[in-house]
Amino acid sequence: MREWLAGHTADFEIRSLPPLLVRYVISVDLLCLAVALVGLVEFPLRFADLLAFGAFVLLGRLAIETSRHLGAPGHREEEPHRDLLSTWTLPVVLLLPPVYAAVLHLPLYCLFRAGIGPQPRYKQLFNAAALGVSGFCASIVHLALAPTQGPYRIETLVGSAGRIGALFLAVVTYTVINRVLLHGTLRRRHPVPAHSNTVGSNTVRSNTVRSNTVRSNTVGSSTVCSSMVRSIPVGRPFGGGGREMLTVAATEMCSAIVIAVLWTAHPLLMLAATPPALLLQRGLLHAELLAAARTDAKTRLASPAYWREVAEREAARVRRAGRPMSVLIVDIDHFKRVNDQFGHLTGDVVLASVADALRAATRPRDLVGRFGGEEFVVLLCEVDLDNAAHAAERIRRQVAGMRCRVDGRSAGAVIVSVTVSVGVATASGTEVDLPVLLETADAALYRAKADGRNRVRLAAQVPAARTA
């Protein structure tokens, strides 16, 4: 019995989290409980509302099961699981009393969605609570702007421009409050100031999403890698993740409004609306597959093919504009020794940590990719040779400050550190030619290796661009 209790309470273990985050998570959970109780007291339960609530819970479960069978290629643990669930949960916010919105996500997140991926129970409960608070507030806003006596009908839901506006304002309220509550967990888990990267006169302030720490559980050893800089810029240019996520969110919100309107017209219209909604969900696979093809699996940087594709477009652009363009090739020094001494799994963790260091040391608009093996490549558009040299030196120092602790079973903790050598090449205007830049930067990299490693070397001169 004790073992059973230990196994079922382990998922609720949150003592490993920072105390400030623990208090925040518990506060949001209690807030959701409080608003649910308020809603239960202030809004009487009606049998028709209970039936509608049950119907949307079942439709939400259908969306979850469809997503489970379709899979999520290239999905990362820190990314939200995009299954268009809000298509079926937002109508509850818009159509039913607020108490239903407050409790809606408890069965969906804690029961049905739990099998999507390994997620602690406290996180499932927090997500359900945050969405419950967001839904309750959005429902209150909608009721205040578009009041109705009894259940919503199509004329009381969208019968005027003001009521249509109330729909959209409620959706915006739902989205904003949910983002604020979720962002609060990031700020309390990693309360660090924004890190600013400077290349020449351009200063970019980056948002932080998590500590620059990579953990790997390996057979026979556990590895922890951390860099001196504790932030990772988000919104990298390759992959278009920000625009893609915005498009998916907008599609989800608009679909939810359409579903709500169809429900008020007649609930049986759900039979016609469900297949197109599930087909739209299947269309998310295209974006997932595209992102997976563009991203290197080990480092989460741009894949070599995608890096070259984007770099060729940028080269044509800066050539037309007569602007400079720089390329850095970064190679981990003596990386084979890491693999030979600690194993390839530890080597993979070091690769990922170096990739994070490259993200932290470059601007959000710089294109960082994996070139192959232990080599990386960085594209710096409209950056001259002097500023590219500063960027390369910043990368070298960033990686040199990285420390990886390897805890072996037979030996004590061992600190692993690596360095990088960097080759830099720059061209301007009509001389910009990507293959020539890569070849010249590679030659500069080999000179850095020959001069003793852990240093930056600049290409003396880039040959003129090849002509057909």
Side-chain angles (χ1 to χ4, degrees), residues 79-418:
E79 291 180 343
H81 188 77
R82 295 179 293 182
D83 51 15
L84 294 184
L85 185 59
S86 292
T87 300
W88 308 107
T89 58
L90 261 179
V92 173
V93 174
L94 301 174
L95 298 175
L96 301 182
V99 62
Y100 295 99
V103 301
L104 170 64
H105 293 87
L106 289 174
L108 292 177
Y109 268 79
C110 299
L111 295 179
F112 306 144
R113 213 181 194 187
I116 290 290
Q119 196 176 61
R121 286 290 183 182
Y122 74 84
K123 187 178 290 187
Q124 296 171 10
L125 188 60
F126 172 80
N127 288 336
L131 288 166
V133 173
S134 307
F136 182 89
C137 296
S139 184
I140 290 292
V141 168
H142 186 235
L143 277 175
L145 297 177
T148 182
Q149 298 295 329
Y152 275 103
R153 301 183 301 276
I154 193 166
E155 60 271 13
T156 57
L157 186 68
V158 290
S160 66
R163 291 184 176 271
I164 293 175
L167 275 178
F168 283 96
L169 189 57
V171 169
V172 171
T173 301
Y174 176 84
T175 304
V176 170
I177 294 179
N178 184 45
R179 293 294 173 87
V180 168
L181 292 174
L182 294 180
H183 185 66
T185 62
L186 299 177
R187 292 181 62 84
R188 285 160 179 80
R189 182 158 193 164
H190 309 293
V192 294
H195 174 68
S196 61
N197 299 320
T198 305
V199 178
S201 60
N202 297 321
T203 301
V204 181
R205 187 168 297 275
S206 302
N207 297 322
T208 59
V209 293
R210 59 184 175 92
S211 171
N212 192 14
T213 302
V214 182
R215 297 182 182 269
S216 173
N217 296 321
T218 64
V219 177
S221 66
S222 63
T223 306
V224 177
C225 293
S226 60
S227 175
M228 292 178 66
V229 171
R230 297 292 184 180
S231 62
I232 302 172
V234 296
R236 311 302 293 185
F238 73 89
R243 291 190 299 271
E244 178 185 312
M245 288 298 294
L246 184 62
T247 302
V248 171
T251 302
E252 204 169 11
M253 301 301 108
C254 293
S255 300
I257 292 175
V258 171
I259 293 294
V261 173
L262 289 176
W263 179 271
T264 57
H266 200 289
L268 287 180
L269 286 176
M270 293 299 98
L271 297 175
T274 301
L278 296 179
L279 185 62
L280 180 65
Q281 181 177 325
R282 189 181 184 91
L284 289 177
L285 273 180
H286 173 73
E288 293 282 356
L289 290 169
L290 189 61
R294 291 174 170 179
T295 307
D296 177 69
K298 289 184 179 180
T299 63
R300 312 309 306 180
L301 298 174
S303 65
Y306 185 63
W307 186 93
R308 190 177 289 270
E309 175 189 335
V310 176
E312 288 285 5
R313 290 202 304 264
E314 289 299 305
R317 182 184 65 81
V318 298
R319 194 160 48 238
R320 290 192 302 269
R323 304 292 295 169
M325 188 173 86
S326 299
V327 169
L328 315 181
I329 297 183
V330 182
D331 185 83
I332 302 176
D333 299 325
H334 300 300
F335 183 68
K336 187 176 183 298
R337 295 180 185 175
V338 176
N339 284 332
D340 292 343
Q341 186 172 357
F342 303 106
H344 289 277
L345 294 179
T346 297
D348 289 346
V349 174
V350 172
L351 278 175
S353 192
V354 170
D356 288 344
L358 289 173
R359 291 189 191 96
T362 53
R363 305 170 300 174
R365 67 172 176 267
D366 297 331
L367 184 64
V368 185
R370 188 177 180 192
F371 208 43
E374 64 270 23
E375 282 190 336
F376 303 88
V377 62
V378 183
L379 180 70
L380 305 175
C381 293
E382 301 186 19
V383 174
D384 59 23
L385 186 61
D386 289 340
N387 288 322
H390 290 308
E393 180 60 26
R394 188 170 58 251
I395 289 172
R396 189 197 65 78
R397 290 197 306 267
Q398 175 73 37
V399 176
M402 186 181 69
R403 296 294 180 266
C404 297
R405 190 187 66 190
V406 180
D407 296 328
R409 288 181 176 175
S410 58
V414 179
I415 302 299
V416 179
S417 60
V418 295

